[in-house]
Amino acid sequence: MDPRAFELAVCSLLRRDGLTAEHVGRAGDKGADVLVVDRSRRRVVVQCKRLRPDRRVGDQDVQRVNGTYRHDHGAHFAVIVTTGGYTAAARASGPRYGIHLVDRDALERWADLGEPLYRILRVRDEGARRRRWAPGSWRAKNSLG
């Protein structure tokens, strides 16, 4: 799957979770590939990083998202989703700046097992209806490769 297809797949997963999601990724997107409004009416910026499994998102990517998600997009928090992992520096700085990091393992729980993203992130969603989640077949249709 190419980077744009990955962004669209993440957007689809957000919608599956019942969130309002719009794909906005393109050149000059200021760190936002998907814009979300959740059921609590919070704005969320999602940055997608399609990498090989052995590659890591670095602190410079976290800093870039931190510099734009509040001021340019008016978001309450941000999420970086990757098919790889994160450097130690990125893992340390992300939470300090209100940026949630979704690595390959968390992505597989979200995509393959159908676990809602907010449950994985431990983010409270006041407007969410209680629903049970069950393993799904999302990956069969949208391979993360």
Side-chain angles (χ1 to χ4, degrees):
M1 163 181 316
D2 66 34
R4 184 172 189 281
F6 179 59
E7 293 169 8
L8 292 170
V10 167
C11 188
S12 175
L13 284 169
L14 291 159
R15 290 176 181 155
R16 182 196 71 188
D17 283 357
L19 305 171
T20 301
E22 176 187 3
H23 178 255
V24 295
R26 63 187 175 287
D29 60 22
K30 296 188 179 185
D33 293 319
V34 180
L35 295 177
V36 174
V37 177
D38 68 17
R39 291 171 291 254
S40 297
R41 304 252 186 242
R42 291 175 296 204
R43 292 178 55 87
V44 180
V45 165
V46 180
Q47 172 64 232
C48 302
K49 295 291 184 186
R50 172 72 173 98
L51 304 174
R52 292 189 326 247
D54 62 327
R55 299 292 306 264
R56 304 286 175 251
V57 174
D59 190 50
Q60 70 279 4
D61 293 307
V62 173
Q63 297 298 330
R64 190 173 303 118
V65 171
N66 180 49
T68 62
Y69 85 87
R70 286 182 299 264
H71 300 293
D72 291 337
H73 301 291
H76 292 85
F77 64 91
V79 179
I80 302 175
V81 180
T82 185
T83 53
Y86 293 91
T87 64
R91 285 198 179 281
S93 65
R96 275 197 322 251
Y97 300 126
I99 300 171
H100 297 271
L101 306 178
V102 177
D103 63 11
R104 185 174 188 84
D105 292 337
L107 178 59
E108 287 179 352
R109 286 173 41 209
W110 184 28
D112 292 348
L113 300 178
E115 187 173 350
L117 179 63
Y118 275 25
R119 180 176 294 170
I120 293 167
L121 300 178
R122 297 179 185 187
V123 171
R124 190 175 175 127
D125 189 0
E126 299 295 334
R129 294 182 307 239
R130 296 269 183 225
R131 73 174 179 93
R132 288 185 49 131
W133 61 273
S137 61
W138 183 88
R139 188 171 197 176
K141 294 184 287 185
N142 301 293
S143 175
L144 296 176

